[in-house]
Amino acid sequence: MRIEHVRVLTLAIPFREPIVSAAHRWERRRVAIITLRTDSDLEGLGEFAAAEPGDLGEDVSARLVAALTGVHLGDPVTLEGVLRLIDSWPFVGRVVRSAVESALVDLLARNRGRSVAATLASHPAGHVPVNGLIGIREPAAAAADATELAHAGFGCLKLKGGVERPGALRERVAAVRDAVGPDVALRVDFNGALDSGTAVDVLRELAGYDLDYAEQPISPTAGARALARVRARSGVRIAADESVRDLRSARALLAADAVDALVVKPARVGGLRHAGGIVELATAAEVPVTISTLFETGVGIAGGLHLAAAVPGEQAHGLATAELLESDLLQRALAVDEGRMQVPGGPGLGISLD
């Protein structure tokens, strides 16, 4: 089976409402969708979406067409060589590699007549729980959002936090906790916005609200030992997100006893297989893993959903973001029902572009 045609489509998709995090205000999402078609008329899909709202880096469409056209999918040496070539492109890095790998995994699973989830695990889940998302908002507005999400069946909510006036985050968390009661899990995501001293102070203020975890309170550049010190002093469970860049960084976080959970984004770590390796490492260390995406369309989310189905446990994953965009690009949306997402059961990713 040979790749006969490669297409890269770049799009800008508006958010229904702006999303405000510690680092960015997201009003639209620039993504690129890669489609690989074989000589047997099978298609594989992948998506690259950078961590910055509008930055995809240099256009690499021509390079991808040249690197992938004519590749035989039955030759693992050639496939690995293509992925290593893409790794060497410093201006795109793991994000493009992840998209290409997703499309290749999709193609190979379709050729076998199996779902991607079934290629990643012997007994993947059919549904996975997901968390609802609340941006940086005033307490009353955040509480209203939380109430709506809880009524929709979400058992876990993630609130965005950042550098704010003293007490603002505590007020927001308190309002949300009061609105949804004790049975809904709450997470707070700082996107690395705080310094270590401030993080400890802020997290101690939140310790009484029974957080599931605080996500990336300090910059990943501070290192695993600094995050471990915050964890030891804060009294709050800690998850790493931006610090999880590859298998090596995940191993360092676990070795430093810096985390209670890892948040793994396939686009950041270089693809589904690299992400799966991190899941295996964390599972062996008895550290739970949350699979998440970079505000991607249904293409990227589908890959994350199949991976989440292979993750042990019932923790909520960060995949319920497609409805934040004006379009998820799919013929059939990846719907959220009662706080859970159904894993597409067809071959490959089980999705089709609209």
Side-chain angles (χ1 to χ4, degrees), residues 276-287:
I278 295 172
V279 171
E280 290 179 4
L281 179 71
T283 300
E286 299 184 343
V287 171

Side-chain angles (χ1 to χ4, degrees), residues 114-272:
R114 305 172 65 189
S115 71
V116 167
T119 68
L120 297 173
S122 55
H123 300 288
H127 298 77
V128 298
V130 290
N131 65 250
L133 180 65
I134 300 172
I136 297 177
R137 309 196 65 185
E138 291 301 315
D145 288 347
T147 300
E148 183 177 344
L149 289 167
H151 285 166
F154 285 92
C156 180
L157 304 177
K158 182 166 82 170
L159 291 73
K160 289 290 187 179
V163 179
E164 304 176 67
R165 64 171 177 79
L169 179 58
R170 181 189 59 77
E171 293 168 9
R172 185 158 66 252
V173 171
V176 169
R177 175 57 78 199
D178 185 60
V180 301
D183 296 331
V184 174
L186 298 184
R187 300 168 175 173
V188 177
D189 181 11
F190 293 92
N191 294 112
L194 307 180
D195 61 74
S196 295
T198 303
V200 170
D201 292 340
V202 170
L203 293 176
R204 284 176 174 172
E205 288 186 348
L206 303 178
Y209 295 99
D210 189 26
L211 295 184
D212 185 34
Y213 57 62
E215 185 175 323
Q216 199 67 51
I218 63 174
S219 170
T221 60
R225 292 182 180 178
L227 189 60
R229 289 191 291 271
V230 170
R231 177 175 180 257
R233 296 172 57 199
S234 68
V236 173
R237 288 166 50 84
I238 299 295
D241 176 5
E242 286 86 350
S243 291
V244 185
R245 302 179 302 278
D246 49 27
L247 192 63
R248 181 179 179 181
S249 60
R251 186 177 288 114
L253 289 163
L254 296 172
D257 204 19
V259 294
D260 298 281
L262 294 179
V263 179
V264 178
K265 294 177 176 173
R268 176 177 287 126
V269 303
L272 294 175

Side-chain angles (χ1 to χ4, degrees), residues 6-210:
V6 179
R7 183 182 71 172
V8 181
L9 182 65
T10 303
L11 301 166
I13 307 167
F15 282 90
R16 296 183 188 277
E17 294 183 5
I19 301 294
V20 180
S21 68
H24 304 291
R25 176 184 173 88
W26 300 74
E27 296 187 354
R28 60 180 54 238
R29 192 61 170 115
R30 289 193 72 236
V31 302
I33 305 298
I34 183 169
T35 304
L36 306 181
R37 182 178 298 121
T38 71
D39 51 5
S40 55
D41 209 31
L42 291 176
E43 283 192 349
L45 296 172
E47 173 177 356
F48 43 105
E52 306 291 326
D55 182 23
L56 282 181
E58 183 177 335
D59 184 0
V60 294
S61 302
R63 292 188 179 213
L64 287 172
V65 171
L68 292 164
T69 302
V71 168
H72 287 270
L73 294 178
D75 184 352
V77 175
T78 300
L79 291 179
E80 291 301 326
V82 169
L83 293 173
R84 284 196 299 273
L85 172 65
I86 294 169
D87 283 340
S88 73
W89 300 346
F91 42 84
V92 292
R94 296 186 183 95
V95 173
V96 171
R97 185 197 196 283
S98 173
V100 173
E101 185 181 277
S102 172
L104 291 172
V105 169
D106 187 15
L107 269 179
L108 292 171
R110 288 176 189 268
N111 189 49
R112 297 170 187 161
R114 305 172 65 189
S115 71
V116 167
T119 68
L120 297 173
S122 55
H123 300 288
H127 298 77
V128 298
V130 290
N131 65 250
L133 180 65
I134 300 172
I136 297 177
R137 309 196 65 185
E138 291 301 315
D145 288 347
T147 300
E148 183 177 344
L149 289 167
H151 285 166
F154 285 92
C156 180
L157 304 177
K158 182 166 82 170
L159 291 73
K160 289 290 187 179
V163 179
E164 304 176 67
R165 64 171 177 79
L169 179 58
R170 181 189 59 77
E171 293 168 9
R172 185 158 66 252
V173 171
V176 169
R177 175 57 78 199
D178 185 60
V180 301
D183 296 331
V184 174
L186 298 184
R187 300 168 175 173
V188 177
D189 181 11
F190 293 92
N191 294 112
L194 307 180
D195 61 74
S196 295
T198 303
V200 170
D201 292 340
V202 170
L203 293 176
R204 284 176 174 172
E205 288 186 348
L206 303 178
Y209 295 99
D210 189 26

Side-chain angles (χ1 to χ4, degrees), residues 292-341:
S292 186
T293 61
L294 293 167
F295 288 132
E296 291 159 55
T297 73
V299 177
I301 292 172
L305 183 55
H306 280 269
L307 178 60
V311 176
E314 267 284 298
Q315 64 272 16
H317 297 278
L319 301 169
T321 56
E323 290 187 356
L324 301 175
L325 296 169
E326 290 285 354
S327 171
D328 68 356
L329 306 187
L330 302 184
Q331 287 186 3
R332 183 177 180 183
L334 301 170
V336 182
D337 184 28
E338 293 292 321
R340 304 180 73 87
M341 294 179 70

